[in-house]
Amino acid sequence: MKKRYFFLIMIIFILLGAVICIKVANGDYSRDYLADVTAVNRLLADIEKNWDDISKKRDEQVPISGNLDYTVIGMDGTVYIMTRTDMAQTISAATGHYDTIRDIETEDGIVGRLIIHNPTKDNERIRNRKSAVTIAVMLSAMLLIMLIYFIYINRRVVGPFAGMKSFAQRIAAGNLDTPLEMDRGHVFGEFTEAFDIMREELKASREREEAAVKSRKELVAQLSHDIKTPVASIKAMAEVMTLTAKNDMEKDTLSSINGKADQIDKLISNLFHATLEELEQLDVKPEEISSKDIVKMITEADYLKKVTSPDIKDAVIIGDSLRLNQVISNIIYNSYKYAGTDITVTSRFEKMDNGQAEKQDSEPAMDKNYLVIEIADKGGGVPEGELDLIMEKFKRGSNTEGKDGAGLGLYISKYLMEKMEGGLSCYNNGEGLTAAIRVRVA
């Protein structure tokens, strides 16, 4: 209901009430009090005609004549007939009530009197009752309208305002994930959309900020690792030059260079480890998901379309979709960067018995501990002695020479899989490297 509609209805009721009040105040009800002369004469003539029979009756109640209530009395005050028992039955009472009094004449002269009841009070009582009903109806209608408008205000103004207040409190508390319910029907409809757009922008800004902070941390970790290599070279050269120094001054200078290099190495190590510890503060929330979701993750990660028909067995697994997607993306990206060949994805069930893995290729997932997803390329693999090394902090295989990287991808991937009660391992498959992701079956 619009505000102008409410005011329009109120004006209509006010005008209607004013009209009724004016009519009541200025109304002429005199006609209600006057008896019909023709009807009175007809009634009087009828009574005079039947006077002999009427004069024999005493206090007898007879039917009303037309719309006239009347009483017939004798000259001595005897009441012969009447249409109602509550009417005036004497001349003095009729005079006090402003009743119409007519003489009844026969051949013997005036034999009695006809008292016509004055309906003033009756009409006034009926008029007052009608006025009371009209006023009650108007008040009830106005009360109903006020109630409807109150409900409208509560639902369309007060309620949404409370919702916006709660939304603002959630935003202030940092909860940017819960959207503000949209409803263009209330007065804040357009504002709710603007507020929710603000929430989305704040959320996007926070995500960009977090991504930038994380990117800076990773960059610091990578630079710290890359700086350690030339520092190690400086130390090595200083040690060689110390052996061939010609005098003590040169030895002292080289010793100072070596000491400063050690100092730089320690500072870089501290910076590196501090950054790496922050990188490891990754939230992992395992839950039950379908293994079919992994196919979607692989498809989304395979932007170069090198994966050939991934074969993932059906099962309900325990994992964090976000982190599992991160692990799969990292492994496929590594294959792009270091192998550049087609990628084969297969899966099998594996049951752990006293720490020993038992392969279960064809049996259903029931009673099996893990689903193993093997992502294999044909890039030649890595030396056997480096298979465990490449999953350590900032360690890379010898086949990565000349290619950018910080050596964090597999280390963090293994860390995430262990947080999901699974694991990650790598082995050579004869043509290239296979990364086996072990996910626990629900």
Side-chain angles (χ1 to χ4, degrees):
M1 182 186 294
K2 299 295 185 181
K3 184 166 58 178
R4 61 176 178 269
Y5 296 151
F6 174 76
F7 285 125
L8 179 62
I9 293 174
M10 291 298 296
I11 291 172
I12 291 173
F13 272 101
I14 291 173
L15 293 176
L16 182 60
V19 170
I20 293 175
C21 291
I22 293 172
K23 184 176 180 181
V24 171
N26 299 326
D28 182 9
Y29 301 98
S30 59
R31 293 183 179 180
D32 295 341
Y33 309 146
L34 298 177
D36 186 356
V37 175
T38 301
V40 171
N41 291 335
R42 187 182 298 112
L43 175 63
L44 181 61
D46 186 63
I47 291 174
E48 291 174 345
K49 180 179 178 181
N50 299 291
W51 176 253
D52 292 339
D53 295 331
I54 293 174
S55 62
K56 298 177 182 178
K57 299 179 181 181
R58 295 292 183 274
D59 295 324
E60 183 174 335
Q61 188 170 350
V62 296
I64 188 171
S65 175
N67 61 347
L68 299 178
D69 283 310
Y70 63 92
T71 302
V72 176
I73 63 176
M75 297 300 295
D76 58 355
T78 303
V79 178
Y80 297 126
I81 60 175
M82 55 189 169
T83 58
R84 287 165 45 185
T85 59
D86 59 342
M87 295 189 306
Q89 297 181 0
T90 63
I91 297 299
S92 60
T95 303
H97 196 263
Y98 302 102
D99 291 338
T100 300
I101 304 174
R102 299 289 295 272
D103 291 334
I104 302 173
E105 295 183 14
T106 61
E107 296 177 352
D108 297 331
I110 298 174
V111 295
R113 288 184 173 85
L114 170 65
I115 301 174
I116 307 296
H117 178 65
N118 184 355
T120 301
K121 291 185 179 180
D122 296 338
N123 291 339
E124 184 178 1
R125 187 162 46 248
I126 294 172
R127 186 179 70 254
N128 291 340
R129 186 180 299 113
K130 290 180 178 180
S131 299
V133 170
T134 302
I135 293 172
V137 170
M138 288 182 60
L139 291 176
S140 300
M142 293 178 67
L143 180 62
L144 180 61
I145 291 175
M146 292 176 65
L147 179 62
I148 293 173
Y149 196 69
F150 173 79
I151 296 174
Y152 164 78
I153 291 294
N154 188 63
R155 293 186 59 183
R156 296 299 186 183
V157 179
V158 178
F161 185 80
M164 293 178 65
K165 179 180 178 182
S166 175
F167 173 76
Q169 291 174 344
R170 292 198 305 270
I171 293 295
N175 181 7
L176 301 177
D177 295 323
T178 305
L180 180 61
E181 183 179 354
M182 297 291 182
D183 187 356
R184 293 180 176 272
H186 59 69
V187 295
F188 298 110
E190 296 180 358
F191 291 100
T192 56
E193 184 175 3
F195 270 71
D196 200 60
I197 292 174
M198 178 191 70
R199 176 194 64 82
E200 292 178 352
E201 289 298 323
L202 287 173
K203 182 179 179 181
S205 177
R206 173 185 286 183
E207 290 174 350
R208 289 192 297 267
E209 181 182 358
E210 291 176 351
V213 170
K214 183 179 179 182
S215 178
R216 287 196 297 269
K217 290 178 180 177
E218 291 176 349
L219 178 61
V220 169
Q222 180 177 347
L223 291 175
S224 299
H225 177 262
D226 292 341
I227 292 172
K228 288 175 71 69
T229 300
V231 170
S233 299
I234 292 172
K235 287 183 62 177
M237 287 187 289
E239 290 173 356
V240 172
M241 292 178 66
T242 301
L243 298 176
T244 60
K246 297 179 180 180
N247 52 56
D248 292 339
M249 182 178 293
E250 290 183 359
K251 290 181 180 180
D252 291 341
T253 301
L254 294 170
S255 177
S256 178
I257 293 173
N258 194 33
K260 293 300 181 181
D262 286 335
Q263 185 178 2
I264 293 173
D265 186 64
K266 290 179 181 179
L267 292 174
I268 291 173
S269 296
N270 290 337
L271 178 61
F272 167 75
H273 288 298
T275 306
L276 184 61
E277 287 176 1
E278 290 187 11
L279 288 173
E280 288 181 352
Q281 299 303 315
L282 301 174
D283 191 19
V284 179
K285 297 179 179 178
E287 59 182 357
E288 291 187 359
I289 60 176
S290 172
S291 62
K292 294 180 181 179
D293 294 340
I294 296 177
V295 178
K296 182 179 179 182
M297 297 177 190
I298 294 171
T299 302
E300 291 176 349
D302 183 29
Y303 59 88
L304 294 182
K305 307 303 178 185
K306 290 184 176 294
V307 177
T308 58
S309 301
D311 177 22
I312 304 299
K313 299 185 181 299
D314 290 339
V316 178
I317 59 176
I318 302 297
D320 184 324
S321 297
L322 175 64
R323 301 308 180 191
L324 194 56
N325 196 351
Q326 185 177 344
V327 171
I328 291 173
S329 298
N330 180 68
I331 292 173
I332 292 178
Y333 176 76
N334 280 349
S335 180
Y336 286 170
K337 185 165 59 173
Y338 300 121
T341 66
D342 289 341
I343 301 171
T344 303
V345 179
T346 58
S347 65
R348 57 183 171 81
F349 292 115
E350 185 177 88
K351 184 173 182 179
M352 300 297 291
D353 185 13
N354 296 326
Q356 299 295 322
E358 177 185 351
K359 294 184 180 180
Q360 308 272 343
D361 292 327
S362 59
E363 296 183 27
M366 187 179 298
D367 298 330
K368 305 305 181 293
N369 300 109
Y370 295 95
L371 173 66
V372 181
I373 303 160
E374 296 175 315
I375 303 175
D377 59 43
K378 301 177 182 179
V382 300
E384 291 293 333
E386 297 177 357
L387 288 173
D388 293 333
L389 182 69
I390 60 176
M391 289 187 291
E392 295 182 4
K393 294 180 182 180
F394 292 102
K395 301 296 183 180
R396 305 172 71 197
S398 58
N399 64 329
T400 63
E401 186 176 354
K403 297 182 179 179
D404 295 333
L408 286 173
L410 289 178
Y411 172 75
I412 293 178
S413 296
K414 182 180 179 181
Y415 168 83
L416 294 175
M417 292 310 305
E418 290 175 351
K419 284 288 186 179
M420 287 184 271
E421 301 181 24
L424 175 66
S425 60
C426 296
Y427 63 88
N428 290 318
N429 56 38
E431 294 180 307
L433 183 69
T434 296
I437 302 172
R438 184 176 289 103
V439 188
R440 189 163 65 89
V441 176

